[in-house]
Each structure stands twice: as C-alpha cells, then as structure tokens.
C-alpha cells in the first residue's frame, strides 16, 4: 500500500516536472518581438479621422458601443477598412457565427496584405486547435497563445500538474486597426456577446477610441506580444493536413449559410458603423482618457503591487465626492472591499453596486463569493442591485449611440450582466475587462480606460434607474429582501433569491464556506 502511494507520488512528480520543462522550452524558443505598424496618412481610417482629431488636440474621440450588433459591426467594418495592420487581443474566442465571421474578415484582410496579429489566451481554446492552426497558416497572419497548455488533450490534468502558472490568465480585450482606432471593453468574441439570436446573450459594453490613447493600447499589445508567455502557435499547434483544412472550410461555410447567420448578416449590414464618420466631428464624444493596464509580468507572478492596474485605476477615477456606481457581472468584494466601500459611503457618498442575480449568474461559485457580503454592504449604506434579466423589447427597436433605447428604456436589457463599468461623480467612467474581484486584482491581467466625460458618466448613472434589477434591503436589520419595481403595477417582493432553484441556493450556501475567495 505504502509502496503504491510512493510510486503514484513519484509518477506525479515526474509528470509535473515534464510539463513544466516542456513549457520552459516553449517559452524560451526565439520569436520576433513585433511592433505596431501604423498606416499611411492617406489610408482610409487616418484620412477619416484626421479632421476631427485636428479640431480636438490632445483629446480622444469615443464611440460607446452598447448595442451588440453595433459592437460587432464596428469590428467587422474596421477590419475591412484596415490597410496596414490589425492587432487583436482576447480572452475568449468562440467557434460560432460571430467568431467565424470575424476570423473570416481577418483572413480576408490578411489576403489584402494587412498584417494580422492575434494574441489569444489559451484557457478557452479547448477544441479550437484545428481552427486556430488553419487561421495561422494564412499569409500575413501571426498567432500567439498566451500562457499555453503544453498538453492539448486532458487539459484538466495540466491544471493539476501546473496549477500556479495556468491559474493566471490574460483577460485583456482589445482590437487596434491601422494604429488609428482601438476597440476595448468587456466583450469577448462570440454570439453570446453580439447576437440577438443567442439565448445566452450578455449585457456588455465596449468603446471605440481614436486619439492619443490608441498609441497606449498599441504599446501594451506589443508588450504582451513580446512576453515569454506569448508563445507562437507553431510551437504549440500541429500543422493541419490538407484534408482537415478542406473539411474546416466546408464546416465554416455551412455554419455561415444557416438562416440564423443570414439574418445576422442582414442586421449587421443595416448597422453601417463607418457611416457615422461622415459627420463633421466623426460622431465622437471628445474627452480625455487614461489607459490603465496590468503589466504582462503579472501573469508570471512577478509584477510589483504598485505596478498593477488597480492603484492606477483608483488614481484616475479620483476620490468620490458625491456618488459612485459600480457595475460588475462577477462581483466578489472580499472583506477588504466591503471596508473600502463602507468608508466611501460613510463619507456621505451615494454608493450603488450592480451585479447578476443568482438566477442569471452563469458562474455560481462567484455568486457564493458575493452573497455572504451583501448584509455587511447594506448595513454600511451601500445600495445593492441584482440584475433581473431581459425585458422583451419591440422587434427592430435600436439603441442610440450612447446605448439608450429610443423609447426610453434601459440599455441593460440582456439575459446576463457581463459589463465592467465604474462611474464617479458623474464625471469619470471606467470601461474595460476588470471585475471587482480577487482574480482581477491579483491573478488575471486586465485592461481598461478611464474616460473623463460628464456626458457619458451621467448616462451610465441614470441607467441604474431604468435597468430591470432587484433592489436589495434588510428587513429588521437581518433578513434580505429583493424588490422588483414596476411602473404600472404593484412591486414584487421576494424573501429568497428570486428565480433561483433550490439547488442553486444550497450550492451557494455551501460554497460560501470554502476557503477559495482568493481565486474567484
């Protein structure tokens, strides 16, 4: 018995050392660092932006991308307009209609001579090796996988053998077109983030930005591209034999020929994102913007605390004087976060926090990290809202450029909340990938921008009042109550997690006792 245990332990140790050694060999292989490639001044995007940028020196043009179809249309049309370079950095990329459409557009751009660099975190690429290898085989395409799994099958075993490294991920989300315009925010790539036909639709937010902040986004991309953790795909993925490449091409064509995809493309064609640049100010909101980003060394566990995103974000947002709104789909405030929010509320600042209700949270273990902090937050004077999901909207109803339904309802009307937005004093707004949780603080790398815009901050603050959400309160100082307000009928009051099953409630109650808050 003892001998068997010793043999198992020895075998596990040998496997662990082999996996770590294989990754070290991958990380040590030579690669070109790569730098941003700007487009000529007479290229379409620089030419479209030149006049408006000249009229607003030192400021950034901001387009708010609340509407999901607008958000994908912007990516597709800007990909089609680029002539020099497209740099792409994402945490998740699904092999569905939206994902395949955007991959196809990138391949088309590469065929025109555009240099395409895709940096993709490897945590969510299971089952995508053939698709990614096929993409990387195109001329002018470079693909790197961030913090890759050396074992392409049995990834869960990789976590067991090298957990400390693989538990750290690149959560950044950005696209940069001709070094002239960048899209950053909370969305990954997939139907759930863009497609009204998706049953799992997320409410999310991105921005498109032109101006000085674009060079900062490009610089952080180059830093991540040169990181030892950004491994060229050829070092990880097997080359596809011709018959597999042909099969993938047929599968992609069949997916994009489905009626749902046809309707999707028709809706995108009506979005006409680039047409907005015909306006004298290019349709932008003009504002100062500060990029906040974690260094790539954070993913190696080597970054100093003072170099992380969080202190820069606090500095850029400034100390709240009147009000602070925080929206995070995956909220884990921790004891330290509760104290920090309580101190702000004690200073007379109105603090409002919105996250998913348990029924809508697709990561139940994260809700467990939030649920047992609700009572302390409410007692400290923090106002809590839990997103209640989609209210049906009339067919064809669109959002305006700031995300508001034209008939006055809220932009936040999807099945799940995924946005990460902070607003301070109706003056400054953070939009990006950073959740208010320990994983964003200490484990994952994050990216976002603080926009100094009273107009945008006010719109987001007012959205709290029109969002379909449960308002939490304490009955008798200890019993939680959820109230859903209605305009034309009596309010609904719930004494248990509304819409959640008994199994969900039991799971959250038990999971809240586990000592895993540090990694949520």
């Amino acid at each position: 018995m003892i001998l068997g245990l010793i043999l198992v332990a020895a075998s596990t140790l040998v496997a662990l050392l082999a996996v770590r050694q294989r990754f070290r060999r991958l990380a040590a292989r030579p690669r070109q660092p790569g730098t941003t490639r700007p487009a000529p001044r007479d290229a379409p995007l620089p030419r479209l932006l030149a006049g408006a940028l000249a009229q607003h020196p030192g400021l950034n043009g901001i387009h708010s991308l609340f509407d999901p179809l607008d958000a994908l249309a912007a990516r597709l049309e800007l990909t089609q307009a680029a002539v020099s370079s497209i740099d792409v950095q994402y945490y998740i990329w699904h092999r569905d209609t939206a994902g395949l459409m955007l991959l196809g557009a990138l391949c088309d751009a590469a065929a025109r001579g555009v240099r395409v660099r895709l940096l993709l975190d490897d945590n969510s690429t299971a089952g995508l090796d053939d698709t990614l290898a096929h993409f990387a085989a195109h001329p002018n395409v470079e693909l790197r996988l961030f913090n890759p799994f050396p074992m392409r099958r049995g990834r869960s075993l990789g976590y067991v053998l090298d957990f400390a490294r693989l538990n750290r991920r690149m959560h950044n989300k950005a696209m940069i077109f001709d070094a002239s315009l960048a899209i950053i925010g909370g969305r990954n790539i997939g139907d759930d983030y863009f497609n009204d036909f998706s049953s799992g639709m997320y409410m999310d937010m991105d921005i498109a930005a032109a101006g000085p902040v674009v060079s900062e986004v490009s610089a952080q991309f180059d830093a991540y591209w040169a990181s030892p953790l950004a491994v060229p795909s050829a070092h990880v993925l097997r080359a596809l034999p011709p018959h597999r490449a042909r099969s993938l091409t047929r599968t992609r064509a069949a997916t994009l020929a489905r009626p749902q995809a046809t309707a999707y493309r028709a809706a995108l064609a009506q979005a006409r994102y680039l047409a907005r640049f015909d306006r004298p100010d290019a349709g932008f909101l003009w504002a100062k913007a500060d990029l906040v980003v974690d260094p790539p060394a954070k993913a190696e566990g080597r970054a100093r605390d003072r170099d992380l995103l969080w202190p820069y974000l606090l500095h850029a947002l400034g100390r709240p004087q009147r009000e602070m709104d925080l929206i995070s789909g995956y909220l884990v405030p921790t004891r330290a976060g509760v104290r920090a929010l309580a101190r702000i509320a004690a200073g007379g600042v109105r603090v409002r926090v919105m996250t998913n209700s348990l029924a809508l949270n697709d990561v139940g273990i994260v809700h467990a990290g939030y649920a047992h902090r609700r009572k302390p937050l409410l007692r400290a004077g923090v106002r809590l809202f839990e997103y209640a999901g989609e209210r049906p909207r009339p067919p064809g109803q669109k959002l305006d450029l700031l995300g508001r339904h034209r008939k006055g309802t809220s932009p936040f009307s999807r099945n799940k909340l995924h946005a990460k937005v902070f607003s301070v004093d109706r003056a400054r707004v953070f939009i990006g990938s950073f959740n208010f949780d320990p994983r964003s603080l200490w484990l994952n790398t994050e990216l976002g921008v603080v926009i100094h815009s009273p107009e945008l901050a006010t719109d987001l603050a007012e959205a709290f009042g029109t969002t379909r959400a449960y308002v939490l309160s304490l009955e008798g100082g200890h019993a939680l109550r959820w109230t859903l307000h209605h305009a034309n009928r009596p309010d609904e009051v719930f004494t248990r997690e509304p819409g959640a099953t008994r199994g969900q409630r039991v799971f959250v109650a038990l999971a809240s006792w586990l000592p895993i808050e540090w990694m949520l």
Side-chain angles (χ1 to χ4, degrees):
M1 178 66 175
I2 295 177
L3 179 60
L5 292 175
I6 293 174
L7 289 174
V8 170
S11 299
T12 302
L13 179 61
V14 169
L16 173 60
L17 293 174
V19 167
R20 289 182 174 176
Q21 186 59 31
R22 172 161 167 71
F23 176 76
R24 291 193 182 101
R25 290 197 299 269
L26 291 174
R29 289 189 179 186
R31 81 284 301 271
Q32 294 295 323
T35 55
T36 298
R37 181 184 295 175
R41 291 184 179 180
D42 61 349
L45 287 179
R47 190 173 65 248
L48 281 170
L49 298 168
L53 288 170
Q55 294 175 18
H56 302 86
L59 298 181
N60 298 273
I62 306 295
H63 274 155
S64 300
L65 297 172
F66 283 93
D67 186 87
L69 289 175
D70 278 351
L72 183 56
R75 287 166 169 85
L76 289 169
E77 292 184 36
L78 290 168
T79 297
Q80 292 159 4
V83 299
S84 181
S85 66
I86 304 173
D87 294 331
V88 187
Q89 181 180 18
Y90 278 99
Y91 175 60
I92 292 174
W93 196 298
H94 289 309
R95 188 179 55 192
D96 53 17
T97 303
L100 291 175
M101 287 175 68
L102 196 46
L103 275 184
L106 291 172
C107 289
D108 292 342
R112 299 194 310 267
V114 178
R115 185 195 66 182
V116 175
R117 294 188 294 174
L118 173 59
L119 180 59
L120 193 61
D121 187 89
D122 199 39
N123 189 54
S124 301
T125 62
L128 291 178
D129 279 13
D130 283 359
T131 298
L132 294 175
H134 190 212
F135 172 73
H138 285 77
N140 297 319
V141 167
E142 300 176 56
L143 169 65
R144 293 185 181 179
L145 298 176
F146 195 87
N147 203 11
F149 289 73
M151 296 184 301
R152 306 312 293 172
R153 297 182 180 179
R155 290 190 178 205
S156 57
L157 183 59
Y159 264 117
V160 172
L161 299 177
D162 201 5
F163 179 79
R165 175 178 68 85
L166 294 174
N167 189 42
R168 294 178 175 271
R169 308 310 318 177
M170 181 190 73
H171 199 232
N172 309 34
K173 303 162 177 63
M175 291 187 78
I176 309 125
F177 307 90
D178 281 347
S180 300
L181 199 145
I183 293 178
I184 60 179
R187 288 184 176 94
N188 294 297
I189 303 300
D191 288 345
D192 284 348
Y193 304 92
F194 300 113
N195 190 344
D196 275 338
F197 307 114
S198 170
S199 61
M201 186 72 184
Y202 290 109
M203 189 287 289
D204 218 325
M205 183 177 178
D206 299 316
I207 62 158
V213 74
V214 177
S215 62
E216 299 178 44
V217 181
S218 294
Q220 71 82 33
F221 181 91
D222 287 342
Y224 275 83
W225 188 256
S227 166
L229 294 183
V231 178
S233 61
H235 299 171
V236 181
L237 306 178
R238 295 180 179 179
L240 278 188
H243 74 279
R244 286 289 301 135
R246 289 192 295 270
S247 175
L248 279 174
T249 300
R250 289 193 298 269
T251 300
R252 174 180 178 273
T255 299
L256 297 181
R258 293 181 302 184
Q260 176 176 310
T262 302
Y264 197 2
R265 284 196 299 274
L268 287 167
Q270 294 178 2
R272 298 184 68 245
Y273 177 77
L274 282 179
R276 298 166 192 176
F277 288 93
D278 292 337
R279 293 164 54 177
D281 63 352
F284 284 124
L285 181 157
W286 294 94
K288 178 187 173 185
D290 301 310
L291 187 77
V292 287
V293 60
D294 282 313
K298 180 184 180 183
E300 301 177 73
R302 296 191 298 105
R304 298 173 299 183
D305 289 355
R306 67 187 185 191
D307 294 330
L308 300 181
L309 174 148
W310 181 238
Y312 288 96
L313 175 59
L314 290 179
H315 176 75
L317 285 174
R319 185 176 182 84
Q321 301 298 317
R322 299 180 303 279
E323 60 186 67
M324 184 179 78
D325 294 327
L326 189 158
I327 300 171
S328 176
Y330 307 109
L331 177 72
V332 183
T334 74
R335 183 178 288 108
V338 171
R339 288 198 298 264
L341 292 173
R343 283 196 299 269
I344 295 172
V349 176
R350 184 189 70 178
V351 180
R352 298 187 297 181
V353 177
M354 182 180 295
T355 191
N356 278 305
S357 63
L358 173 58
L360 298 186
N361 200 320
D362 55 348
V363 188
I365 193 73
V366 170
H367 195 86
Y370 150 77
H372 67 295
R373 304 292 183 192
R374 290 181 294 203
K375 292 181 181 179
L377 284 168
L378 290 169
R379 289 176 182 133
V382 176
R383 304 182 189 183
L384 294 183
F385 299 75
E386 294 184 2
Y387 185 54
E390 181 170 329
R391 178 188 289 117
R393 71 179 178 186
Q397 186 183 78
K398 294 290 291 180
L399 304 175
D400 66 19
L401 286 179
L402 288 173
R404 298 163 298 200
H405 287 296
R406 294 198 177 111
K407 293 189 178 179
T409 57
S410 169
F412 302 151
S413 54
R414 296 292 182 268
N415 295 338
K416 300 178 184 70
L417 182 66
H418 191 260
K420 307 97 169 55
V421 181
F422 308 159
S423 176
V424 171
D425 291 339
R426 303 199 177 205
R428 298 171 298 281
V429 176
F430 167 83
I431 298 169
S433 67
F434 182 89
N435 284 300
F436 197 100
D437 62 15
R439 176 162 290 278
S440 287
L441 278 168
W442 308 116
L443 296 175
N444 291 349
T445 68
E446 306 290 352
L447 168 71
V449 63
V450 174
I451 304 166
H452 299 254
S453 168
E455 181 180 355
L456 182 57
T458 298
D459 276 300
L460 288 168
E462 291 178 350
F464 257 86
T466 55
T467 299
R468 190 168 182 264
Y470 303 105
V471 181
L472 273 69
S473 60
L474 285 176
E475 184 77 18
H478 65 277
L480 283 171
R481 294 288 184 269
W482 290 258
T483 302
L484 185 61
H485 295 295
H486 298 287
N488 301 314
R489 56 191 176 93
D491 294 342
E492 295 179 81
V493 179
F494 303 85
T495 58
R496 294 187 299 183
E497 305 267 6
T501 66
R502 180 181 178 86
Q504 286 175 307
R505 294 194 297 269
V506 170
F507 172 80
V508 165
L510 294 176
S512 64
W513 290 93
L514 297 176
I516 57 174
E517 187 177 67
W518 63 274
M519 59 178 287
L520 295 179

